[in-house]
Amino acid sequence: MSKPLFAFIVIALHLATLPDAWCAQQRHLLDEGWQFALGDVHVEGDARVALHGWRNVDLPHDWSIELATRETAPSGGGGGYFQTGIGWYRRNLEVPDAWRNRRS
């Protein structure tokens, strides 16, 4: 291995171990504080009817494993006989004014 390549690898490994406080970018995890509802919205006239039964979940979340398995499930054996369907996730985010017009 050439010396420049070895030096690059050593520096890269060192930088990967620096604490987040030393890095220019901040990480904002979005996996907690979500709400989930099984089903789909439907339209009555000109209005969408909201879902009921929202419950708190953290991501990752797999609602299909919470339901009973069925041999007739559309997922079949390859999908573990889990039921399929539509579910919705939502979360409110507060974005600081300091982030306005920023790009990462």
Side-chain angles (χ1 to χ4, degrees):
M1 183 181 308
S2 69
K3 288 184 180 182
L5 178 60
F6 178 75
F8 173 77
I9 292 172
V10 169
I11 291 170
L13 290 173
H14 176 71
L15 291 175
T17 62
L18 290 176
D20 286 339
W22 295 358
C23 296
Q25 292 185 348
Q26 295 179 2
R27 292 183 182 192
H28 299 276
L29 301 178
L30 300 176
D31 55 350
E32 295 178 351
W34 288 84
Q35 292 186 312
F36 171 78
L38 182 58
D40 198 4
V41 297
H42 63 278
V43 177
E44 290 182 6
D46 292 334
R48 282 187 166 174
V49 177
L51 294 169
H52 299 290
W54 290 97
R55 61 188 173 101
N56 296 329
V57 297
D58 292 332
L59 301 182
H61 173 252
D62 183 357
W63 59 266
S64 66
I65 64 171
E66 298 172 355
L67 304 175
T69 56
R70 297 182 319 199
E71 288 189 25
T72 58
S75 63
Y81 300 107
F82 288 112
Q83 297 182 42
T84 60
I86 297 174
W88 286 83
Y89 292 87
R90 69 182 181 185
R91 178 173 182 208
N92 292 325
L93 299 174
E94 292 184 27
V95 179
D97 287 337
W99 290 6
R100 186 178 304 273
N101 297 322
R102 287 190 56 194
R103 295 181 147 196
S104 55

